[in-house]
Amino acid sequence: MDYAKMRAIAADLGAYSEQLEGSWSVEIGPSGPILAMMCPSKRHEGAVRRICKQLDAQLPRTHPGYICANGPEIEHPAIGRMRRPDAVVIPEATLDEEGLAVDATQVLAAVEIVSPSNPSNDYDEKLAEYPAMGIPHYMIVDPRTGTIEVHSEPCKGRYGNKEPYIFGDFVPFGPWTVETSEFRRYGRDGSTIPPGS
């Protein structure tokens, strides 16, 4: 199926999802359009909020006019993909445009918080798709393990650089820094991994 047809189906699914209760996401992945109910945990959303807040404080200095937003969908028709990152660095003005998705060429960075139920989506599919979309920086935060990966230098559909970190680190992310001492792991007490463990 060509991307224009998949995009039309995704638009129909998006319109349909507005009539449903709850929060829904529409993406175009390797199998085509997907409508999925979003049920992120509080710890997942806490990590997203902390990252957005920190990047929003730094963006006026490094990239005036840009924000870190929760969502929206981003798309790259040439590779036939539309995804909804947990957080994305984009020009604020793109949120005033018509349409469902932001052109991926305007995205400076994407962030995913790994869910317990589908980690391969962030580590496999999106790790291949985001560099193919030309997104310069990709951060994967994994509350299952208390680890973070920062990917950069997209080239020929792959990231050429990967840097590992743990919760508690000051994490360089492109021209920004994300302080992670308040990030919480999934689990009963939500404690972080002590640095150096």
Side-chain angles (χ1 to χ4, degrees):
M1 182 182 309
D2 72 7
Y3 186 74
K5 289 180 184 176
M6 288 192 292
R7 187 63 174 77
I9 292 169
D12 289 344
L13 288 172
Y16 175 71
S17 72
E18 291 177 8
Q19 302 169 23
L20 302 173
E21 290 186 27
S23 181
W24 296 82
S25 156
V26 178
E27 295 185 331
I28 300 173
S31 303
I34 305 160
L35 176 63
M37 186 171 197
M38 295 171 26
C39 304
S41 70
K42 290 185 285 184
R43 290 190 180 148
H44 178 283
E45 292 303 289
V48 172
R49 175 71 184 124
R50 287 179 177 101
I51 291 167
C52 287
K53 189 174 175 183
Q54 290 184 49
L55 294 182
D56 277 339
Q58 297 171 62
L59 283 163
R61 178 180 46 80
T62 63
H63 295 84
Y66 280 73
I67 60 167
C68 185
N70 181 278
E73 279 90 357
I74 59 174
E75 73 176 331
H76 197 291
I79 66 165
R81 295 290 185 269
M82 183 171 72
R83 292 296 191 169
R84 184 184 179 96
D86 289 318
V88 62
V89 176
I90 53 174
E92 186 170 17
T94 61
L95 298 179
D96 294 326
E97 298 171 354
E98 279 293 324
L100 182 64
V102 172
D103 183 330
T105 62
Q106 298 185 62
V107 177
L108 292 183
V111 177
E112 296 290 357
I113 313 301
V114 177
S115 69
S117 61
N118 191 13
S120 67
N121 192 35
D122 300 322
Y123 281 113
D124 298 328
E125 293 177 16
K126 292 180 181 180
L127 188 54
E129 293 170 2
Y130 290 166
M133 290 180 175
I135 297 171
H137 307 284
Y138 176 36
M139 178 187 288
I140 304 172
V141 177
D142 195 336
R144 300 169 315 147
T145 59
T147 58
I148 300 161
E149 292 182 2
V150 174
H151 298 269
S152 60
E153 301 174 14
C155 180
K156 298 181 182 178
R158 300 181 54 221
Y159 284 113
N161 189 45
K162 170 186 162 185
E163 298 293 333
Y165 300 93
I166 61 170
F167 285 17
D169 287 343
F170 284 84
V171 177
F173 184 43
W176 318 290
T177 301
V178 176
E179 199 275 312
T180 67
S181 65
E182 293 186 7
F183 286 18
R184 297 290 176 255
R185 292 185 62 178
Y186 297 140
R188 280 186 275 192
D189 67 358
S191 61
T192 59
I193 296 176
S197 296

